[in-house]
Amino acid sequence: MEEAGLVDLRSLVPDLSQDIKYFGRDNFVGAPVDGYLAPRCWLKREAAEALARVEARLRQRHQRLRVYDCYRPARAVAHFMRWASDPADQRTKATHYPTLPKAALVGEYIAPVSGHSRGATVDLTLLQCDASGAECRALDMGTDFDYFGSRANTDASDVDAVQRANRGQLRDAMAAEGFRNYPMEWWHYTFRPEPSPDTLYDVPVTAPDTQREARIDALMQRYDGDVPGASLLVLQDGRALVDRGYGRSDLETGIEAGPGTNYRLASVSKQFTAAAILLLAQDGVLSIEDPVRSWLPSLPASADRVTLRHLLTHTSGLADYEDLMPPDGVQQIRDAGVLALLEQAAPPSFTPGTAYRYSNSGYALLALVVERASGQAYPAFLRSRIFQPLAMHDTLAYVAGGPAVPHRAWGYSRRGEDWVRTDQSATSAVLGDGGIYSNVDDLARWDAALYDDRLLSDASRALAFAPQVAVAGEGIDAHYGFGWRITGDTQWHSGETIGFRNVIVRWPRQRLTVVLLSNRNEDPPYATALAVGALFLRD
C-alpha cells in the first residue's frame, strides 16, 4: 500500500469513524468482497490529507465523517461484475435495488472500472455529535449507502427538506477541500485533481503492520464498524496513550462508541464496593473483621462465623444467589432480594475462611452493609464518597427510576448473523456485585486514585491489592484481594453480564493500565487487554 503512495487515514485521524462495508457482509453483494483483507481506509496522500482537513473543520462544529469505502482494489471491482452477471443471486434486492432489475445496475451503478481504484475517491456520510463529542449519530440522508435508484441522486426531488439539507452540508464540507460529488450518489466524492488519473491499483486493502496503533486496531477489529462496540483506554505514567471507541454504543440509532460512553461494568463494580467498605473502616464505623450478622442480623445463625473479610475475598461459603433464583424468573432481583434468598438458604458449603468460591452474593450483602453503616443509600454513598471526590461525574450505580445513565451503551447478543438488544436480565438490578455504569475516561481518574492516598489510605490499598486467597475453580493462576484479582505483576478484574464484557488490567510497577469495555455478549476481553498492554510494557 505504501509503495503505491497510499496513506492509511487512521495515521492522520486516529479515531476516524469507519464502517468499511466491503470487508463484511453488509453490502449489496451480501458477502465479503475480494481484496478487502482489513476494514481500512487508504487514499493517495493528497486526497488523504485533504480528507483529514475536512474532518478537522467538521469537528469545530461538532460533526464528523464516517467512511464506507476509500481505495478499492481492481479485483474487488471484478467481484462486483461477477455478482452483477448472476441473475439468480437476489439476496440484497430489497435493501439495495428494490425498484430496479439487477441487469439495469451494470453501467450506471456498477462498471468494470472504478475511480476508487485510483485512490482518490471516497464514499462517506456525515455524523452529528453532541457538544461533548460523546454521542455521534449519522444524519438522515434519505437512503442508505449503496442504494441503487434515483432517490440516491444527490439532488433527488423525492427526499425531504431535512435530508436534502444534510446532503448539502456534506457536499459543502467536501467541496471546501477539493472533493467533487458524483451526482448519482450522495455519498461518492473524488479529490480533484486526481493524483494518479491514469493508474488503477490492485493491491489488497490491508492494515499496516509496522505501527503499534495498527496492531491495536487489528486486535480491536471485531469491535469496529456497524456492530456492538467497545471503548479502549491505555494509560502509562498517568497519560492516556490510547483513548477511543470502536463500533456502536446503540445500533438502533447508530450512535458511535467513544471514551465517554458508559457501559454496565458488571463485576468490575466489585472494586468500588470493596472500596466503600474500606472507606467505612477508615472512618472507624466498621471493621472488616465484623461478623456480617452484626450488620445483617436476619441472616440465619449458620452464618455466624462469616465476616466482612470473607465476603470481600469470596471465602464465606454462602451460596451464590443466582443458584437460588427460580429458573424461569423474569422479575428483577435487588440487593435486598439477595438477602431474602440467603435468609432461607442452606448453611455455608464450607467453614468460612477455609476455601475460595466466587460468589456474587457476598458483594450484594456488602452493598447492604454500606447502607446500614453509613445511613445512606448505596448509590448515594458511592456518589458522595468516591465518584464526586474523584470527578467521575458520569459514573453511577444505576437504579431504574433514578438518574439516567448519560451516554449509555446498550447491550447486545448475537443471534445468527444479527445482533439483538439484550441489555437487562433478572440480576441486572443488583448493585453491589455489578450495577455500576462508567466510561474509560472516568476510570482513568479511578486508576490515578489507586496510586496515592487521595481516597484510600496506604493501608487500605495494601489490603485491597494483597493476595488474600488463592483463586480456585476458575482455571487461572491468581489470588484474590478485595475486589481485585492478582496475577504475577498484574492487578485486574473482569466483568461479564448479559450484553456486556469488560476488563481492567493494571501493571502498577510499570504504571500501565488497560481498560476495555464492550457492549456485547461475547468475546471476553481479558486476552485482548493483555495483548494491548504487551505493546506498551517496558523492559
mmCIF file of all heavy atoms in Angstrom, residues 314-351:
data_model
loop_
_atom_site.group_PDB
_atom_site.id
_atom_site.type_symbol
_atom_site.label_atom_id
_atom_site.label_comp_id
_atom_site.label_asym_id
_atom_site.label_seq_id
_atom_site.Cartn_x
_atom_site.Cartn_y
_atom_site.Cartn_z
ATOM 1 N N HIS A 314 -14.478 -13.806 48.834
ATOM 2 C CA HIS A 314 -15.204 -14.972 48.306
ATOM 3 C C HIS A 314 -14.856 -16.239 49.084
ATOM 4 O O HIS A 314 -14.753 -17.329 48.510
ATOM 5 C CB HIS A 314 -14.901 -15.180 46.818
ATOM 6 C CG HIS A 314 -15.250 -14.009 45.958
ATOM 7 N ND1 HIS A 314 -16.545 -13.643 45.679
ATOM 8 C CD2 HIS A 314 -14.450 -13.118 45.305
ATOM 9 C CE1 HIS A 314 -16.540 -12.573 44.881
ATOM 10 N NE2 HIS A 314 -15.289 -12.226 44.671
ATOM 11 N N THR A 315 -14.676 -16.090 50.376
ATOM 12 C CA THR A 315 -14.359 -17.251 51.207
ATOM 13 C C THR A 315 -15.440 -17.501 52.260
ATOM 14 O O THR A 315 -15.184 -18.138 53.279
ATOM 15 C CB THR A 315 -12.995 -17.063 51.907
ATOM 16 O OG1 THR A 315 -13.016 -15.843 52.677
ATOM 17 C CG2 THR A 315 -11.867 -16.995 50.894
ATOM 18 N N SER A 316 -16.666 -16.994 52.014
ATOM 19 C CA SER A 316 -17.741 -17.127 53.008
ATOM 20 C C SER A 316 -18.415 -18.487 52.960
ATOM 21 O O SER A 316 -18.985 -18.940 53.967
ATOM 22 C CB SER A 316 -18.799 -16.047 52.784
ATOM 23 O OG SER A 316 -19.504 -16.291 51.565
ATOM 24 N N GLY A 317 -18.415 -19.134 51.787
ATOM 25 C CA GLY A 317 -19.158 -20.385 51.634
ATOM 26 C C GLY A 317 -20.636 -20.180 51.402
ATOM 27 O O GLY A 317 -21.382 -21.155 51.220
ATOM 28 N N LEU A 318 -21.103 -18.917 51.416
ATOM 29 C CA LEU A 318 -22.524 -18.652 51.157
ATOM 30 C C LEU A 318 -22.844 -18.941 49.697
ATOM 31 O O LEU A 318 -22.034 -18.719 48.792
ATOM 32 C CB LEU A 318 -22.859 -17.200 51.473
ATOM 33 C CG LEU A 318 -22.725 -16.765 52.933
ATOM 34 C CD1 LEU A 318 -23.000 -15.271 53.077
ATOM 35 C CD2 LEU A 318 -23.677 -17.568 53.817
ATOM 36 N N ALA A 319 -24.057 -19.414 49.471
ATOM 37 C CA ALA A 319 -24.483 -19.756 48.120
ATOM 38 C C ALA A 319 -24.539 -18.507 47.235
ATOM 39 O O ALA A 319 -24.818 -17.401 47.712
ATOM 40 C CB ALA A 319 -25.857 -20.415 48.160
ATOM 41 N N ASP A 320 -24.249 -18.691 45.969
ATOM 42 C CA ASP A 320 -24.427 -17.608 45.004
ATOM 43 C C ASP A 320 -25.924 -17.447 44.750
ATOM 44 O O ASP A 320 -26.617 -18.425 44.456
ATOM 45 C CB ASP A 320 -23.702 -17.922 43.699
ATOM 46 C CG ASP A 320 -23.572 -16.688 42.821
ATOM 47 O OD1 ASP A 320 -24.613 -16.110 42.444
ATOM 48 O OD2 ASP A 320 -22.428 -16.287 42.515
ATOM 49 N N TYR A 321 -26.413 -16.226 44.871
ATOM 50 C CA TYR A 321 -27.860 -16.008 44.795
ATOM 51 C C TYR A 321 -28.443 -16.450 43.450
ATOM 52 O O TYR A 321 -29.618 -16.818 43.367
ATOM 53 C CB TYR A 321 -28.211 -14.547 45.080
ATOM 54 C CG TYR A 321 -27.796 -13.550 44.034
ATOM 55 C CD1 TYR A 321 -28.610 -13.255 42.950
ATOM 56 C CD2 TYR A 321 -26.593 -12.856 44.145
ATOM 57 C CE1 TYR A 321 -28.241 -12.321 42.001
ATOM 58 C CE2 TYR A 321 -26.208 -11.924 43.199
ATOM 59 C CZ TYR A 321 -27.034 -11.659 42.127
ATOM 60 O OH TYR A 321 -26.664 -10.729 41.189
ATOM 61 N N GLU A 322 -27.646 -16.425 42.375
ATOM 62 C CA GLU A 322 -28.175 -16.845 41.081
ATOM 63 C C GLU A 322 -28.568 -18.319 41.102
ATOM 64 O O GLU A 322 -29.446 -18.736 40.346
ATOM 65 C CB GLU A 322 -27.155 -16.568 39.986
ATOM 66 C CG GLU A 322 -26.898 -15.082 39.768
ATOM 67 C CD GLU A 322 -25.924 -14.812 38.637
ATOM 68 O OE1 GLU A 322 -26.180 -15.299 37.525
ATOM 69 O OE2 GLU A 322 -24.919 -14.117 38.878
ATOM 70 N N ASP A 323 -27.920 -19.101 41.960
ATOM 71 C CA ASP A 323 -28.280 -20.508 42.079
ATOM 72 C C ASP A 323 -29.560 -20.704 42.891
ATOM 73 O O ASP A 323 -30.127 -21.810 42.892
ATOM 74 C CB ASP A 323 -27.139 -21.290 42.744
ATOM 75 C CG ASP A 323 -25.872 -21.284 41.909
ATOM 76 O OD1 ASP A 323 -25.976 -21.157 40.674
ATOM 77 O OD2 ASP A 323 -24.773 -21.383 42.500
ATOM 78 N N LEU A 324 -29.996 -19.666 43.586
ATOM 79 C CA LEU A 324 -31.188 -19.768 44.428
ATOM 80 C C LEU A 324 -32.433 -19.189 43.767
ATOM 81 O O LEU A 324 -33.541 -19.388 44.268
ATOM 82 C CB LEU A 324 -30.944 -19.025 45.750
ATOM 83 C CG LEU A 324 -29.719 -19.450 46.568
ATOM 84 C CD1 LEU A 324 -29.563 -18.547 47.792
ATOM 85 C CD2 LEU A 324 -29.827 -20.912 46.982
ATOM 86 N N MET A 325 -32.244 -18.498 42.647
ATOM 87 C CA MET A 325 -33.372 -17.863 41.973
ATOM 88 C C MET A 325 -34.177 -18.894 41.186
ATOM 89 O O MET A 325 -33.616 -19.881 40.693
ATOM 90 C CB MET A 325 -32.875 -16.762 41.033
ATOM 91 C CG MET A 325 -32.204 -15.603 41.760
ATOM 92 S SD MET A 325 -31.468 -14.401 40.608
ATOM 93 C CE MET A 325 -32.944 -13.791 39.772
ATOM 94 N N PRO A 326 -35.493 -18.693 41.060
ATOM 95 C CA PRO A 326 -36.296 -19.605 40.230
ATOM 96 C C PRO A 326 -35.753 -19.626 38.803
ATOM 97 O O PRO A 326 -35.406 -18.574 38.247
ATOM 98 C CB PRO A 326 -37.696 -18.975 40.277
ATOM 99 C CG PRO A 326 -37.694 -18.114 41.490
ATOM 100 C CD PRO A 326 -36.290 -17.627 41.660
ATOM 101 N N PRO A 327 -35.632 -20.786 38.190
ATOM 102 C CA PRO A 327 -35.025 -20.873 36.850
ATOM 103 C C PRO A 327 -35.782 -20.111 35.788
ATOM 104 O O PRO A 327 -35.200 -19.670 34.798
ATOM 105 C CB PRO A 327 -35.023 -22.383 36.563
ATOM 106 C CG PRO A 327 -36.047 -22.960 37.480
ATOM 107 C CD PRO A 327 -36.037 -22.100 38.707
ATOM 108 N N ASP A 328 -37.094 -19.927 35.975
ATOM 109 C CA ASP A 328 -37.889 -19.212 34.976
ATOM 110 C C ASP A 328 -38.233 -17.799 35.427
ATOM 111 O O ASP A 328 -39.112 -17.152 34.848
ATOM 112 C CB ASP A 328 -39.177 -19.979 34.673
ATOM 113 C CG ASP A 328 -40.011 -20.232 35.931
ATOM 114 O OD1 ASP A 328 -39.483 -20.012 37.041
ATOM 115 O OD2 ASP A 328 -41.180 -20.647 35.790
ATOM 116 N N GLY A 329 -37.535 -17.298 36.447
ATOM 117 C CA GLY A 329 -37.851 -15.972 36.966
ATOM 118 C C GLY A 329 -37.464 -14.869 35.991
ATOM 119 O O GLY A 329 -36.387 -14.900 35.397
ATOM 120 N N VAL A 330 -38.351 -13.903 35.817
ATOM 121 C CA VAL A 330 -38.079 -12.770 34.922
ATOM 122 C C VAL A 330 -38.064 -11.457 35.687
ATOM 123 O O VAL A 330 -37.543 -10.461 35.193
ATOM 124 C CB VAL A 330 -39.115 -12.703 33.786
ATOM 125 C CG1 VAL A 330 -38.973 -13.912 32.878
ATOM 126 C CG2 VAL A 330 -40.542 -12.605 34.330
ATOM 127 N N GLN A 331 -38.648 -11.430 36.886
ATOM 128 C CA GLN A 331 -38.663 -10.208 37.676
ATOM 129 C C GLN A 331 -37.277 -9.931 38.229
ATOM 130 O O GLN A 331 -36.594 -10.831 38.718
ATOM 131 C CB GLN A 331 -39.668 -10.323 38.816
ATOM 132 C CG GLN A 331 -39.833 -9.036 39.617
ATOM 133 C CD GLN A 331 -40.937 -9.148 40.647
ATOM 134 O OE1 GLN A 331 -41.627 -10.149 40.716
ATOM 135 N NE2 GLN A 331 -41.088 -8.106 41.455
ATOM 136 N N GLN A 332 -36.848 -8.674 38.137
ATOM 137 C CA GLN A 332 -35.502 -8.339 38.587
ATOM 138 C C GLN A 332 -35.391 -8.412 40.106
ATOM 139 O O GLN A 332 -36.287 -8.000 40.835
ATOM 140 C CB GLN A 332 -35.110 -6.947 38.093
ATOM 141 C CG GLN A 332 -34.776 -6.905 36.616
ATOM 142 C CD GLN A 332 -34.116 -5.602 36.219
ATOM 143 O OE1 GLN A 332 -34.409 -4.548 36.770
ATOM 144 N NE2 GLN A 332 -33.219 -5.668 35.243
ATOM 145 N N ILE A 333 -34.267 -8.933 40.548
ATOM 146 C CA ILE A 333 -33.965 -9.011 41.969
ATOM 147 C C ILE A 333 -33.030 -7.868 42.335
ATOM 148 O O ILE A 333 -32.217 -7.427 41.517
ATOM 149 C CB ILE A 333 -33.333 -10.383 42.318
ATOM 150 C CG1 ILE A 333 -33.166 -10.541 43.827
ATOM 151 C CG2 ILE A 333 -32.012 -10.579 41.588
ATOM 152 C CD1 ILE A 333 -32.708 -11.941 44.231
ATOM 153 N N ARG A 334 -33.150 -7.363 43.546
ATOM 154 C CA ARG A 334 -32.266 -6.300 44.035
ATOM 155 C C ARG A 334 -31.413 -6.844 45.184
ATOM 156 O O ARG A 334 -31.555 -7.995 45.592
ATOM 157 C CB ARG A 334 -33.091 -5.096 44.482
ATOM 158 C CG ARG A 334 -33.930 -4.484 43.353
ATOM 159 C CD ARG A 334 -34.742 -3.299 43.834
ATOM 160 N NE ARG A 334 -35.581 -2.769 42.771
ATOM 161 C CZ ARG A 334 -35.190 -1.856 41.878
ATOM 162 N NH1 ARG A 334 -33.965 -1.366 41.950
ATOM 163 N NH2 ARG A 334 -36.015 -1.431 40.940
ATOM 164 N N ASP A 335 -30.529 -6.005 45.706
ATOM 165 C CA ASP A 335 -29.635 -6.465 46.775
ATOM 166 C C ASP A 335 -30.424 -6.981 47.982
ATOM 167 O O ASP A 335 -30.051 -8.003 48.568
ATOM 168 C CB ASP A 335 -28.715 -5.319 47.185
ATOM 169 C CG ASP A 335 -27.872 -4.828 46.032
ATOM 170 O OD1 ASP A 335 -28.417 -4.099 45.193
ATOM 171 O OD2 ASP A 335 -26.690 -5.176 45.949
ATOM 172 N N ALA A 336 -31.510 -6.287 48.325
ATOM 173 C CA ALA A 336 -32.324 -6.748 49.446
ATOM 174 C C ALA A 336 -32.950 -8.099 49.147
ATOM 175 O O ALA A 336 -33.149 -8.922 50.053
ATOM 176 C CB ALA A 336 -33.401 -5.709 49.767
ATOM 177 N N GLY A 337 -33.277 -8.340 47.883
ATOM 178 C CA GLY A 337 -33.810 -9.635 47.494
ATOM 179 C C GLY A 337 -32.783 -10.741 47.636
ATOM 180 O O GLY A 337 -33.126 -11.895 47.935
ATOM 181 N N VAL A 338 -31.514 -10.414 47.424
ATOM 182 C CA VAL A 338 -30.445 -11.388 47.647
ATOM 183 C C VAL A 338 -30.417 -11.782 49.119
ATOM 184 O O VAL A 338 -30.310 -12.972 49.459
ATOM 185 C CB VAL A 338 -29.086 -10.814 47.214
ATOM 186 C CG1 VAL A 338 -27.952 -11.753 47.599
ATOM 187 C CG2 VAL A 338 -29.079 -10.542 45.708
ATOM 188 N N LEU A 339 -30.517 -10.794 49.989
ATOM 189 C CA LEU A 339 -30.551 -11.087 51.427
ATOM 190 C C LEU A 339 -31.732 -11.998 51.760
ATOM 191 O O LEU A 339 -31.589 -12.967 52.527
ATOM 192 C CB LEU A 339 -30.634 -9.778 52.215
ATOM 193 C CG LEU A 339 -30.805 -9.908 53.731
ATOM 194 C CD1 LEU A 339 -29.631 -10.656 54.348
ATOM 195 C CD2 LEU A 339 -30.946 -8.517 54.364
ATOM 196 N N ALA A 340 -32.889 -11.728 51.177
ATOM 197 C CA ALA A 340 -34.068 -12.549 51.456
ATOM 198 C C ALA A 340 -33.851 -13.995 51.006
ATOM 199 O O ALA A 340 -34.263 -14.938 51.705
ATOM 200 C CB ALA A 340 -35.290 -11.952 50.754
ATOM 201 N N LEU A 341 -33.203 -14.188 49.873
ATOM 202 C CA LEU A 341 -32.916 -15.555 49.422
ATOM 203 C C LEU A 341 -31.959 -16.263 50.374
ATOM 204 O O LEU A 341 -32.132 -17.449 50.692
ATOM 205 C CB LEU A 341 -32.317 -15.529 48.011
ATOM 206 C CG LEU A 341 -33.254 -15.170 46.864
ATOM 207 C CD1 LEU A 341 -32.461 -15.049 45.572
ATOM 208 C CD2 LEU A 341 -34.361 -16.214 46.715
ATOM 209 N N LEU A 342 -30.949 -15.549 50.840
ATOM 210 C CA LEU A 342 -29.957 -16.154 51.729
ATOM 211 C C LEU A 342 -30.522 -16.435 53.114
ATOM 212 O O LEU A 342 -30.019 -17.316 53.828
ATOM 213 C CB LEU A 342 -28.727 -15.257 51.824
ATOM 214 C CG LEU A 342 -27.910 -15.153 50.539
ATOM 215 C CD1 LEU A 342 -26.810 -14.110 50.685
ATOM 216 C CD2 LEU A 342 -27.296 -16.509 50.177
ATOM 217 N N GLU A 343 -31.548 -15.692 53.504
ATOM 218 C CA GLU A 343 -32.195 -15.961 54.801
ATOM 219 C C GLU A 343 -32.804 -17.356 54.832
ATOM 220 O O GLU A 343 -32.942 -17.960 55.906
ATOM 221 C CB GLU A 343 -33.271 -14.907 55.061
ATOM 222 C CG GLU A 343 -32.718 -13.527 55.389
ATOM 223 C CD GLU A 343 -33.791 -12.453 55.394
ATOM 224 O OE1 GLU A 343 -34.961 -12.753 55.058
ATOM 225 O OE2 GLU A 343 -33.442 -11.300 55.745
ATOM 226 N N GLN A 344 -33.159 -17.876 53.648
ATOM 227 C CA GLN A 344 -33.795 -19.200 53.568
ATOM 228 C C GLN A 344 -32.850 -20.271 53.025
ATOM 229 O O GLN A 344 -33.256 -21.416 52.824
ATOM 230 C CB GLN A 344 -35.028 -19.112 52.638
ATOM 231 C CG GLN A 344 -36.003 -18.006 52.979
ATOM 232 C CD GLN A 344 -36.547 -18.123 54.387
ATOM 233 O OE1 GLN A 344 -36.854 -19.241 54.841
ATOM 234 N NE2 GLN A 344 -36.683 -16.995 55.092
ATOM 235 N N ALA A 345 -31.594 -19.908 52.775
ATOM 236 C CA ALA A 345 -30.671 -20.823 52.108
ATOM 237 C C ALA A 345 -30.047 -21.805 53.088
ATOM 238 O O ALA A 345 -30.097 -21.637 54.315
ATOM 239 C CB ALA A 345 -29.583 -20.028 51.395
ATOM 240 N N ALA A 346 -29.402 -22.796 52.514
ATOM 241 C CA ALA A 346 -28.680 -23.789 53.313
ATOM 242 C C ALA A 346 -27.468 -23.127 53.977
ATOM 243 O O ALA A 346 -27.028 -22.044 53.567
ATOM 244 C CB ALA A 346 -28.229 -24.939 52.406
ATOM 245 N N PRO A 347 -26.897 -23.756 54.994
ATOM 246 C CA PRO A 347 -25.702 -23.202 55.645
ATOM 247 C C PRO A 347 -24.555 -23.085 54.658
ATOM 248 O O PRO A 347 -24.581 -23.672 53.570
ATOM 249 C CB PRO A 347 -25.402 -24.232 56.743
ATOM 250 C CG PRO A 347 -26.678 -24.944 56.967
ATOM 251 C CD PRO A 347 -27.381 -24.981 55.647
ATOM 252 N N PRO A 348 -23.525 -22.310 55.014
ATOM 253 C CA PRO A 348 -22.344 -22.215 54.141
ATOM 254 C C PRO A 348 -21.835 -23.597 53.755
ATOM 255 O O PRO A 348 -21.867 -24.546 54.550
ATOM 256 C CB PRO A 348 -21.337 -21.456 55.004
ATOM 257 C CG PRO A 348 -22.180 -20.616 55.920
ATOM 258 C CD PRO A 348 -23.383 -21.470 56.221
ATOM 259 N N SER A 349 -21.342 -23.708 52.529
ATOM 260 C CA SER A 349 -20.924 -25.004 51.995
ATOM 261 C C SER A 349 -19.561 -25.440 52.527
ATOM 262 O O SER A 349 -19.152 -26.586 52.318
ATOM 263 C CB SER A 349 -20.888 -24.956 50.472
ATOM 264 O OG SER A 349 -20.029 -23.917 50.028
ATOM 265 N N PHE A 350 -18.837 -24.521 53.176
ATOM 266 C CA PHE A 350 -17.587 -24.879 53.839
ATOM 267 C C PHE A 350 -17.377 -23.908 54.994
ATOM 268 O O PHE A 350 -18.045 -22.864 55.075
ATOM 269 C CB PHE A 350 -16.394 -24.851 52.880
ATOM 270 C CG PHE A 350 -16.246 -23.579 52.086
ATOM 271 C CD1 PHE A 350 -15.673 -22.432 52.643
ATOM 272 C CD2 PHE A 350 -16.680 -23.513 50.768
ATOM 273 C CE1 PHE A 350 -15.547 -21.266 51.910
ATOM 274 C CE2 PHE A 350 -16.545 -22.350 50.018
ATOM 275 C CZ PHE A 350 -15.987 -21.222 50.592
ATOM 276 N N THR A 351 -16.486 -24.238 55.892
ATOM 277 C CA THR A 351 -16.202 -23.361 57.015
ATOM 278 C C THR A 351 -15.633 -22.049 56.496
ATOM 279 O O THR A 351 -14.660 -22.051 55.738
ATOM 280 C CB THR A 351 -15.196 -24.010 57.974
ATOM 281 O OG1 THR A 351 -15.729 -25.253 58.439
ATOM 282 C CG2 THR A 351 -14.912 -23.094 59.157
#
